[in-house]
Amino acid sequence: SFHITPVKDLEVGINFLAAFPVVPEAFGEDAPDFYGAEVDLDLTYTLYGNFEIAGEVGVFIPGPVFGEEKTPILGGEVRAQVHF
């Protein structure tokens, strides 16, 4: 995870996650050994002292565990938050 504040009140971040079996031998000797990876980009902008808007978009790249269906999956969200 890496976050920066390029301008006042704006935070930008990128996250990377990769998943592997803890005990690959448990699934057999020839079993796939990589679940997949995910990369996320997030933005948060503080409008006022306790009110912010944010958004996040990410892509999941399936590994060989998912068989033939390895189409990347895109997801995202937009949110507004008031902090008390």
Side-chain angles (χ1 to χ4, degrees):
S1 179
F2 176 74
H3 287 83
I4 62 169
T5 304
V7 294
K8 184 181 178 197
D9 297 329
L10 177 67
E11 183 178 309
V12 180
I14 188 166
N15 303 300
F16 175 77
L17 174 72
F20 302 90
V22 176
V23 184
E25 300 81 25
F27 299 104
E29 197 170 294
D30 296 328
D33 61 353
F34 180 60
Y35 291 119
E38 183 172 339
V39 179
D40 300 318
L41 174 65
D42 61 83
L43 301 165
T44 302
Y45 184 71
T46 303
L47 292 171
Y48 303 104
N50 63 343
F51 180 70
E52 65 186 30
I53 56 173
E56 185 171 355
V57 64
V59 63
F60 174 68
I61 300 116
V65 168
F66 290 91
E68 296 298 317
E69 185 54 48
K70 294 182 187 164
T71 305
I73 300 166
L74 184 66
E77 72 175 6
V78 176
R79 63 186 178 273
Q81 298 181 155
V82 177
H83 299 276
F84 294 98

